[in-house]
């Protein structure tokens, strides 16, 4: 099919991957109200169109945590992305490196951190400045320390610590599709047989299917079934802010706390000494019924001021959405489903195409709002009716 906008990748991905994988990426928690609210609220943000502003020579470059990037966009952490294309995390990381933006690897990826680091190094990023690593709140502190040591040894600079998943959300669509629930392995096998191109690329050529970062605890025989069981057994609902102090003490690079939706929690992250936060509701995949990232973003930015760098995600589907998030106060925007669908549809080339489309849309939006630099995108380009209704 013809891809002419970032949202076209969703349908292309649906056609190519088995249903259980598409629904896992596309779905949210409970009734998926927050998932829909994320998209609707962000789309409702009205921009202030300006004309004759002389917006030639537009630059999309920005600096985050001391490193310059070509776009204020990060490929955010997505679990088991390697099931959507052969060695998918490595492909996406190469695309991000070529585009000059960060790629954040999930703890629960198929490709290990070392494999992805090697893939990025081939693009001339030997110092791994653009490779970020995401860590979950898990029970096994020794394993967490080992992962931190691995990241340090690979010269990864930036750690994203996800705090909004002490327990997995109730994702009913996964049970309906075969990602989880009774007879899930058989259902997934039958679905895979109906997608021969995916089965050849990922099912056969994409082996091994084990979770690379979890081999020390799951062994080399681990796979998708272990992934679902590991999530439920190893996330730690007892963790508190004080428990994060040892992470701050054991990580000298930028520490970003992901999953902030409340101003008090944002201030707590600043008190901890974090360099950044991600305003996020996990793409609507955790607690359904909460406010969208768009709605809470301005208050959180106001609460922390310049104490740390505020990033945002959830509901971002286009370059126009990136501009909206920046105008609401974010300094950078994480993509999740958008890059995963592009990867599923067309591999690393699809991710490159997605980033080109997003950059193009950002340039159009900046031209028509009269700004030339990312630093100029702020509340001044928002129309008075910019806030979506409750």
């Amino acid at each position: 099919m013809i891809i002419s906008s970032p949202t076209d990748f969703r349908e292309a991905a649906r056609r190519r991957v088995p249903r259980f994988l598409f629904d896992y990426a596309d779905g949210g928690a409970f009734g998926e109200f927050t998932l829909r609210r994320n998209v609707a609220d962000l789309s409702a943000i009205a921009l202030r169109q300006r004309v004759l502003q002389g917006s030639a020579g537009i630059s999309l470059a920005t600096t985050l945590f001391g490193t310059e990037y070509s776009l204020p966009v990060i490929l955010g952490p997505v679990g088991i992305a390697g099931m959507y294309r052969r060695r998918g995390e490595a492909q996406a990381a190469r695309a991000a490196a070529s585009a000059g933006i960060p790629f954040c690897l999930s703890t629960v990826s198929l490709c290990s951190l070392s494999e992805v680091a090697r893939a990025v190094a081939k693009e001339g990023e030997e110092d791994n400045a653009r490779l970020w690593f995401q860590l979950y709140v898990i029970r096994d502190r020794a394993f967490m320390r080992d992962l931190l040591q691995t990241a340090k040894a690979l010269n990864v600079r930036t750690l994203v610590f996800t705090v909004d998943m002490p327990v997995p959300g109730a994702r009913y669509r996964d049970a309906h599709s075969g990602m989880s629930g009774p007879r899930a392995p058989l259902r997934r096998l039958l679905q895979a047989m109906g997608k021969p191109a995916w089965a050849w690329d990922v099912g056969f050529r994409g082996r091994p299917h084990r979770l690379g970062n979890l081999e020390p605890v799951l062994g080399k025989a681990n796979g998708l079934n272990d992934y679902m069981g590991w999530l439920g057994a190893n996330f730690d609902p007892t963790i508190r802010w004080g428990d994060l102090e040892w992470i701050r003490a054991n990580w000298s690079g930028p520490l970003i706390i992901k999953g902030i939706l409340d101003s008090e929690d944002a201030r707590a992250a600043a008190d901890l000494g974090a360099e950044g936060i991600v305003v996020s509701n996990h793409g609507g995949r955790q607690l359904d019924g909460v406010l969208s990232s768009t709605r809470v973003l301005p208050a959180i930015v106001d609460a922390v001021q310049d104490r740390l760098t505020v990033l945002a995600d959830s509901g971002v589907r286009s370059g126009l959405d990136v501009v909206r998030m920046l105008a609401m106060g974010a300094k950078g925007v994480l993509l999740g489903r958008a890059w995963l669908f592009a990867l599923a549809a067309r591999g690393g080339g699809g991710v490159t195409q997605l980033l080109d489309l997003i950059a193009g849309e950002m340039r159009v939006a900046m031209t028509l709002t009269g700004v030339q630099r990312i630093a100029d995108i702020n509340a001044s380009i928002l129309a008075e009716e910019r806030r979506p209704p409750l």
Side-chain angles (χ1 to χ4, degrees):
M1 63 178 286
I2 296 174
I3 302 291
S4 59
S5 76
T7 55
D8 289 340
F9 286 107
R10 177 181 180 274
E11 175 59 20
R14 188 192 66 80
R15 296 182 183 184
R16 193 177 191 282
V17 303
R19 179 192 168 191
F20 72 90
L21 285 176
F22 176 78
D23 280 0
Y24 177 73
D26 194 56
F30 296 88
E32 302 185 350
F33 296 106
T34 293
L35 187 155
R36 293 189 292 272
R37 183 180 289 167
N38 283 336
V39 176
D41 284 359
L42 188 53
S43 298
I45 297 300
L47 300 177
R48 182 184 175 205
Q49 180 170 303
R50 303 296 307 281
V51 297
L52 304 177
Q53 297 297 303
S55 297
I58 286 175
S59 172
L60 304 182
T62 193
T63 298
L64 295 172
F65 311 107
T67 300
E68 184 172 338
Y69 300 109
S70 63
L71 288 171
V73 170
I74 301 100
L75 298 191
V78 177
I80 62 169
M83 291 299 296
Y84 290 80
R85 275 282 175 163
R86 174 166 44 97
R87 317 314 292 168
E89 294 95 356
Q91 289 197 51
R94 282 194 293 266
S98 295
I101 67 168
F103 173 82
C104 185
L105 182 70
S106 170
T107 296
V108 287
S109 56
L110 260 69
C111 296
S112 68
L113 185 55
S114 58
E115 180 180 347
V116 173
R118 289 193 301 271
V120 174
K122 293 178 182 178
E123 296 296 327
E125 293 296 323
E126 289 82 0
D127 63 351
N128 291 330
R130 293 186 173 90
L131 178 57
W132 297 7
F133 183 58
Q134 176 267 338
L135 190 62
Y136 279 115
V137 178
I138 53 181
R139 298 177 188 272
D140 190 341
R141 300 293 194 268
F143 176 54
M144 292 175 71
R145 283 194 296 269
D146 289 344
L147 286 175
L148 290 176
Q149 290 300 321
T150 297
K152 289 179 184 178
L154 293 168
N155 296 317
V156 174
R157 298 181 184 178
T158 304
L159 179 70
V160 176
F161 195 73
T162 298
V163 294
D164 63 351
M165 207 167 173
V167 293
R171 300 172 191 171
Y172 299 140
R173 207 195 297 196
D174 286 349
H176 294 157
S177 69
M179 186 67 177
S180 61
R183 297 183 295 175
L186 176 60
R187 295 172 67 190
R188 292 197 296 263
L189 176 62
L190 293 175
Q191 291 175 32
M193 292 171 62
K195 301 291 183 179
W198 174 89
W200 170 250
D201 176 59
V202 178
F204 182 74
R205 298 179 65 204
R207 297 176 181 175
H209 296 152
R210 54 181 179 260
L211 306 173
N213 295 316
L214 303 187
E215 280 190 17
V217 290
L218 292 180
K220 293 190 175 182
N222 76 80
L224 199 56
N225 292 331
D226 297 285
Y227 166 71
M228 299 306 294
W230 188 87
L231 291 182
N234 286 277
F235 288 161
D236 188 355
T238 69
I239 197 165
R240 302 173 66 88
W241 282 105
D243 297 323
L244 300 190
E245 292 178 359
W246 71 271
I247 294 178
R248 176 69 286 179
N250 286 279
W251 184 261
S252 58
L255 172 63
I256 303 169
I257 306 298
K258 182 178 183 293
I260 302 296
L261 278 184
D262 188 273
S263 295
E264 290 187 23
D265 289 340
R267 284 189 286 265
D271 293 340
L272 177 72
E275 282 76 19
I277 58 173
V278 183
V279 177
S280 170
N281 56 41
H282 217 98
R285 294 168 63 79
Q286 281 299 97
L287 179 59
D288 201 20
V290 299
L291 293 175
S292 66
S293 295
T294 304
R295 287 302 307 272
V296 302
L297 180 57
I300 289 176
V301 171
D302 184 62
V304 298
Q305 297 294 320
D306 296 325
R307 297 180 65 193
L308 44 68
T309 298
V310 178
L311 310 176
D313 71 12
S314 301
V316 180
R317 300 292 187 268
S318 66
L320 182 57
D321 287 342
V322 171
V323 171
R324 287 173 168 138
M325 280 290 198
L326 297 176
M328 298 291 281
K331 297 300 182 184
V333 178
L334 281 74
L335 305 179
R337 291 180 178 90
W339 77 258
L340 186 64
F341 287 146
L343 177 74
R346 295 188 174 180
V351 178
T352 296
Q353 184 181 6
L354 169 73
L355 294 174
D356 288 343
L357 289 168
I358 285 176
E361 291 183 341
M362 290 183 66
R363 290 190 179 93
V364 171
M366 291 171 70
T367 300
L368 295 177
T369 54
V371 295
Q372 293 181 292
R373 300 178 305 138
I374 294 301
D376 299 330
I377 302 176
N378 53 44
S380 68
I381 73 165
L382 296 174
E384 291 187 3
E385 297 181 356
R386 62 184 181 272
R387 299 292 190 269
L390 282 171

